């Protein structure tokens, strides 16, 4: 019988010490998953792992930059030694540089693509053997509503998120024979450190809320709840989907 929890599931979460990633790490751990968290900040990561363990949860992690091939190889070795299989992969790590396309340097564009898209591609490729060994794997890619429409976040960000949505569709079909599901979650503005530079501008905030039927900004745990459902056995017939979490913004007319 399927249970409404993640008991016994092994989950890896990237970018797991801030914003949406932190909310997902907390949610998964509370639901009983054995979580392994990746983040660049060693101190923040150590503090989070200690907090989760002191609450009786199973948690571990590794600090490093996923855009670096050397760190990904090091991570692969760690995980292969720790687990024989991986049940859940959450590709959440992301960044943004907000400006007009003509104002970006090539280096800045490549950085956004490297962090938002190529890390997800490489983590998926790298961890495929462990996901396959699970026999019941779930990959959850955290994209954005910016991947489906222009929300003035800068072209490279929207491009990477659109590509992430399409990557999920392709992998959902390619990996279905191995019973690995792949889905995407696309939030609108959520109250996170990444969105803070926009949400702290009164005029921008007012425009965002005016465009949102629910008349408020979303919270990280409202995204984490969707990710948890997609990781559960209860969602076992859902794959290749892009779940939008936007307070109704994308369906609002004039």
């Amino acid at each position: 019988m399927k249970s409404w929890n993640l008991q016994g599931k092994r989950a890896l979460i990237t970018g797991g010490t801030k914003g949406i990633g932190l909310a997902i790490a907390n949610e998964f751990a509370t639901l009983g998953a054995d979580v392994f968290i990746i983040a660049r900040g060693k101190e923040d990561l150590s503090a989070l792992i200690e907090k989760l363990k002191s609450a009786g949860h199973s948690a571990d992690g590794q600090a490093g930059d996923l855009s670096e091939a050397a760190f990904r190889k090091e991570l692969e070795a760690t995980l292969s030694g720790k687990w024989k299989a991986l049940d859940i992969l959450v590709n959440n790590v992301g960044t943004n540089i907000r400006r007009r396309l003509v104002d970006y340097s090539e280096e800045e564009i490549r950085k956004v693509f490297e962090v938002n898209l190529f890390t997800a591609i490489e983590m998926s490729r790298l961890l495929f053997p462990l996901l396959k060994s699970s026999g019941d794997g779930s990959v959850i890619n955290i994209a954005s509503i910016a991947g489906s429409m222009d929300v003035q976040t800068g072209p490279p960000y929207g491009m990477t998120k659109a590509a992430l949505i399409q990557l999920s569709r392709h992998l959902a079909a390619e990996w279905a024979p191995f019973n690995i599901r792949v889905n995407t979650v696309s939030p609108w503005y959520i109250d996170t450190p990444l969105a803070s530079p926009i949400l702290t501008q009164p005029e921008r905030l007012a425009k965002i809320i005016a465009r949102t039927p629910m008349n408020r900004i979303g919270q990280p745990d409202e995204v984490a709840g969707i990710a948890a459902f997609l990781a559960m056995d209860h969602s076992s017939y859902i794959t290749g989907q892009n779940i939008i979490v936007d307070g109704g913004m994308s369906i609002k007319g004039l």
Side-chain angles (χ1 to χ4, degrees):
M1 186 176 182
K2 295 178 180 178
S3 301
W4 202 265
N5 60 53
L6 295 173
Q7 202 70 42
K9 299 277 189 182
R10 294 150 293 195
L12 187 147
I13 302 147
T14 70
T17 57
K18 295 178 182 177
I20 291 171
L22 174 59
I24 292 173
N26 282 323
E27 183 80 6
F28 281 22
T30 300
L31 288 168
D34 182 357
V35 298
F36 193 95
I37 303 158
I38 307 297
R40 280 181 294 184
K42 190 172 184 179
E43 290 184 9
D44 287 344
L45 180 59
S46 296
L48 175 58
I49 291 170
E50 182 59 36
K51 181 181 177 182
L52 291 172
K53 284 184 174 179
S54 65
H57 304 310
S58 179
D60 200 353
Q62 195 160 332
D65 187 347
L66 282 172
S67 65
E68 296 179 357
F71 174 67
R72 292 195 299 267
K73 211 160 188 56
E74 181 184 330
L75 176 61
E76 180 185 21
T78 299
L79 291 173
S80 295
K82 179 181 176 63
W83 289 328
K84 295 184 185 299
L86 176 67
D87 304 299
I88 307 160
L89 168 61
V90 181
N91 286 310
N92 166 74
V93 67
T95 191
N96 196 12
I97 301 170
R98 298 177 179 87
R99 58 185 60 160
R100 298 181 308 162
L101 182 63
V102 294
D103 294 329
Y104 284 88
S105 67
E106 181 181 335
E107 182 182 0
E108 288 172 330
I109 293 173
R110 289 184 180 277
K111 177 184 177 182
V112 175
F113 269 78
E114 194 71 47
V115 174
N116 292 0
L117 179 60
F118 295 140
T119 59
I121 293 172
E122 289 306 303
M123 288 296 286
S124 298
R125 279 160 36 99
L126 190 73
L127 298 176
F128 171 71
L130 286 175
L131 289 162
K132 182 180 176 182
S133 294
S134 164
D136 188 24
S138 176
V139 179
I140 302 157
N141 292 320
I142 306 301
S144 167
I145 195 69
S148 303
M149 63 178 67
D150 174 35
V151 291
Q152 299 177 6
T153 58
Y157 182 82
M159 292 160 67
T160 59
K161 297 302 185 178
L164 195 56
I165 294 168
Q166 192 62 17
L167 172 67
S168 300
R169 293 182 180 127
H170 280 288
L171 290 185
E174 187 176 306
W175 290 359
F178 309 107
N179 208 31
I180 301 170
R181 297 180 296 110
V182 186
N183 291 289
T184 313
V185 179
S186 286
W188 172 226
Y189 275 101
I190 304 296
D191 188 10
T192 66
L194 186 63
S196 180
I198 300 299
L199 300 181
T200 52
Q201 299 177 39
E203 288 187 11
R204 291 290 298 275
L205 177 59
K207 287 180 180 178
I208 291 166
I209 291 177
R211 195 172 169 180
T212 308
M214 291 190 76
N215 203 40
R216 64 177 176 84
I217 299 300
Q219 295 301 312
D221 61 353
E222 294 178 301
V223 182
I226 295 296
F229 172 66
L230 291 173
M232 288 181 187
D233 295 337
H234 281 284
S235 61
S236 57
Y237 202 51
I238 300 175
T239 194
Q241 302 305 305
N242 178 33
I243 311 298
I244 295 173
V245 186
D246 69 351
M249 183 279 287
S250 58
I251 51 87
K252 184 175 180 180
L254 295 175

